[in-house]
Amino acid sequence: MGSSSDKKRKSAEDTTPQIKKKKVDSEKSSKSPKFINVGAVKRPQHAPPVVAATSGLALSSSIQFQAYATPADKTSKRKKNGAPAQELLLHSANHRTMDYTAREDRTGDSSDPYLKHYIGIFNPKTAEVEIVEARKTVLRGTVRSQKAVDEAMEEKTQKQQMMAMRNELGEAFGTKKAKKAIRDVTENAITSQKVGQSELVMMDAIKTATKDMSTKEDLQAAVDNARPVPRGNFAATEIADVYVPSQIIGSEVLNAIPVMDWQESVKNLEDIQVPSRFVAKRVSNVASSDDAVHRLRVLRYLLFVIIFWNATSQGRERGTRSIGKRDKLREVMAPAPEIVIENIRRKFSDGGVMRKTHVDLLMTHCCAFAAIIDGFRVNTIDLREDLKLEQKQLNQYFIEIGARVKQQKVADKMENFAVLQLPLQFPKIRLPARKR
């Protein structure tokens, strides 16, 4: 016997396991039939297949539908023409917020009455295709919340009608207490209503649109800035610092006003003839007071303004005044320097015409100068005669500059006094009253 070493061994290449190949029967692998038989067309009356066209809807496969059909009519023309007499409808309410409804598409009846839809069902065991007529439907969706709102609105309308009828009966035959209760309920009806989602959206839109609107304080500040009054320091802590003549008139114009002749006349006890009751009654006291030169210049500027006003005439347009030519102004306002005449003409007119804004500005300037001369407490009778105004009009001009008008008895006669003191009280804007 040979040794064990002489036994044949498999080579290294043969150590890998052999893969057993499974023979596949060619007859078993080809299961598809060679011939397919097509059966007759079936038209099921109950539970027919449905072809649904989803117009822009993304429908989930989990949605289940309930089928509904109208009862069959033996005399229906559709049945005679070969079309089903029953109308099929599918409905689903499984979605959280949507209702889906599929109705049969009848639009093809008039254009092509012979257009029909079929579905082929293949049976691999019998190698037959079953042709079944299908119903063509169109699927649409509606938001369920809209229906709920409509139903709620109908119910709410019926309740409102009943409430209105009851209120009418109460108003006609009820007692005073019942009528008052009905009126209170009607007035508070708006606040008792529940605000819906659409109202909240509208309120947010209104809030966004009106967040930059001016407040009442802003409107008041705008009105104060546009009011025709002299330029003043309304943040001053002393009343004498509110209306400063050098700022209102201008230092150059104020220093150009001559007062030497008035000082000489007062010193020599001579009468000063001026076309103004207010100026004539005060020139002597002003000339003998402290800071006489400055106050005399303010008084004479007031005189020039009054003369300028009395020299105007009715304008062509209603509510306007026409000023005279420069030569006439130089004559009536003498001895006013040219710089003073031009200052008054440009400040209180435009193109030779005084409109309402110019007139109001002139009147408020006169009120401010009168208050400065009289120590901020003016008896308005003399200024009223000089400006030829009604007392009510002059009071309103003093109110415009922040003064308070009071009545006081003087020598058995009631006189109007305009007092200028801090804090100034300007007219407030009047907002329209809210309707109840």
Side-chain angles (χ1 to χ4, degrees):
M1 293 181 63
S3 60
S4 60
S5 61
D6 296 333
K7 293 182 179 179
K8 294 183 179 179
R9 297 181 181 179
K10 293 183 179 180
S11 60
E13 297 178 355
D14 298 332
T15 56
T16 56
Q18 295 291 331
I19 299 175
K20 296 181 179 181
K21 295 183 180 180
K22 185 177 181 181
K23 294 184 179 179
V24 180
D25 189 0
S26 60
E27 295 181 358
K28 294 182 180 180
S29 61
S30 59
K31 294 182 180 180
S32 58
K34 296 180 179 179
F35 301 97
I36 297 175
N37 298 325
V38 179
V41 177
K42 295 184 179 181
R43 294 185 176 88
Q45 297 296 328
H46 303 285
V50 176
V51 177
T54 58
S55 54
L57 293 177
L59 190 66
S60 175
S61 59
S62 61
I63 300 297
Q64 297 180 358
F65 287 89
Q66 296 290 333
Y68 302 91
T70 58
D73 189 1
K74 296 181 180 180
T75 62
S76 176
K77 295 182 180 179
R78 295 179 55 82
K79 189 173 182 180
K80 294 178 181 179
N81 295 334
Q86 292 181 333
E87 183 178 357
L88 183 65
L89 183 142
L90 303 178
H91 181 74
S92 175
N94 297 130
H95 195 270
R96 181 169 53 88
T97 58
M98 298 286 291
D99 285 346
Y100 295 101
T101 303
R103 297 180 182 272
E104 286 193 75
D105 186 12
R106 302 291 190 183
T107 58
D109 295 348
S110 58
S111 60
D112 191 358
Y114 301 103
L115 178 63
K116 296 181 181 180
H117 297 78
Y118 299 91
I119 294 178
I121 303 175
F122 176 67
N123 189 348
K125 294 181 179 180
T126 60
E128 291 184 355
V129 175
E130 184 179 2
I131 305 299
V132 183
E133 184 178 350
R135 299 284 187 90
K136 173 65 182 301
T137 60
V138 177
L139 182 65
R140 292 181 174 87
T142 56
V143 182
R144 192 178 299 114
S145 60
Q146 292 182 352
K147 292 185 177 180
V149 171
D150 295 339
E151 295 173 358
M153 289 299 296
E154 291 179 1
E155 182 180 357
K156 185 177 181 181
T157 303
Q158 294 178 358
K159 290 183 179 180
Q160 289 178 348
Q161 291 177 354
M162 294 297 295
M163 182 64 70
M165 294 172 61
R166 186 190 302 176
N167 291 343
E168 290 178 0
L169 291 175
E171 288 287 349
F173 304 104
T175 60
K176 291 183 178 179
K177 186 175 181 181
K179 292 179 181 179
K180 184 178 183 301
I182 292 173
R183 286 193 295 269
D184 293 341
V185 171
T186 304
E187 291 173 358
N188 299 327
I190 297 177
T191 57
S192 63
Q193 292 178 353
K194 293 183 179 180
V195 182
Q197 186 66 27
S198 59
E199 285 80 3
L200 291 175
V201 174
M202 185 180 297
M203 291 173 63
D204 292 339
I206 294 174
K207 186 184 296 183
T208 303
T210 58
K211 65 179 182 179
D212 296 330
M213 289 183 64
S214 300
T215 61
K216 185 177 180 180
E217 291 74 14
D218 296 336
L219 293 175
Q220 184 65 51
V223 170
D224 292 341
N225 294 331
R227 183 177 288 113
V229 297
R231 183 175 59 182
N233 180 18
F234 302 114
T237 57
E238 297 291 336
I239 190 60
D241 298 331
V242 177
Y243 296 110
V244 181
S246 60
Q247 296 178 359
I248 300 174
I249 303 171
S251 301
E252 185 179 359
V253 177
L254 189 63
N255 295 331
I257 298 175
V259 294
M260 188 68 69
D261 54 342
W262 278 10
Q263 288 180 312
E264 292 293 333
S265 299
V266 172
K267 185 177 180 180
N268 298 330
L269 303 178
E270 297 175 357
D271 294 335
I272 299 176
Q273 301 295 328
V274 291
S276 169
R277 292 181 55 180
F278 183 89
V279 176
K281 289 185 178 181
R282 290 162 175 79
V283 61
S284 299
N285 293 333
V286 172
S288 59
S289 64
D290 298 335
D291 197 12
V293 174
H294 179 74
R295 297 186 65 196
L296 281 175
R297 285 173 176 168
V298 176
L299 185 62
R300 199 157 198 177
Y301 186 87
L302 173 60
L303 175 64
F304 292 149
V305 173
I306 293 173
I307 295 173
F308 174 84
W309 166 249
N310 291 329
T312 60
S313 58
Q314 183 66 37
R316 294 182 179 179
E317 298 181 11
R318 185 178 179 181
T320 62
R321 304 286 296 180
S322 178
I323 66 173
K325 296 182 179 180
R326 285 184 172 85
D327 295 339
K328 184 179 178 180
L329 290 177
R330 293 190 188 98
E331 181 181 351
V332 297
M333 296 177 66
E338 187 69 21
I339 187 175
V340 177
I341 297 175
E342 286 298 314
N343 174 268
I344 296 174
R345 190 180 66 84
R346 292 178 181 177
K347 182 176 293 186
F348 303 118
S349 68
D350 185 12
V353 179
M354 293 183 66
R355 304 189 183 277
K356 186 180 184 305
T357 306
H358 300 117
V359 174
D360 294 342
L361 188 64
L362 183 144
M363 297 300 174
T364 53
H365 273 72
C366 291
C367 293
F369 295 144
I372 293 171
I373 296 301
D374 281 3
F376 306 103
R377 189 175 186 275
V378 186
N379 189 338
T380 61
I381 185 171
D382 296 330
L383 191 62
R384 184 191 67 191
E385 295 297 330
D386 291 341
L387 299 176
K388 298 180 177 63
L389 296 176
E390 298 291 336
Q391 186 63 53
K392 184 178 181 180
Q393 293 177 310
L394 185 60
N395 292 345
Q396 185 61 38
Y397 284 126
F398 272 106
I399 292 173
E400 289 291 333
I401 66 172
R404 301 171 178 83
V405 180
K406 303 177 182 178
Q407 285 189 339
Q408 184 177 347
K409 191 173 183 180
V410 178
D412 298 333
K413 187 186 294 185
M414 296 300 295
E415 301 288 352
N416 290 271
F417 288 84
V419 181
L420 203 65
Q421 62 184 11
L422 295 177
L424 301 180
Q425 292 184 356
F426 294 101
K428 302 296 182 183
I429 58 173
R430 295 182 180 180
L431 298 178
R434 295 182 179 178
K435 295 182 179 180
R436 298 183 62 181

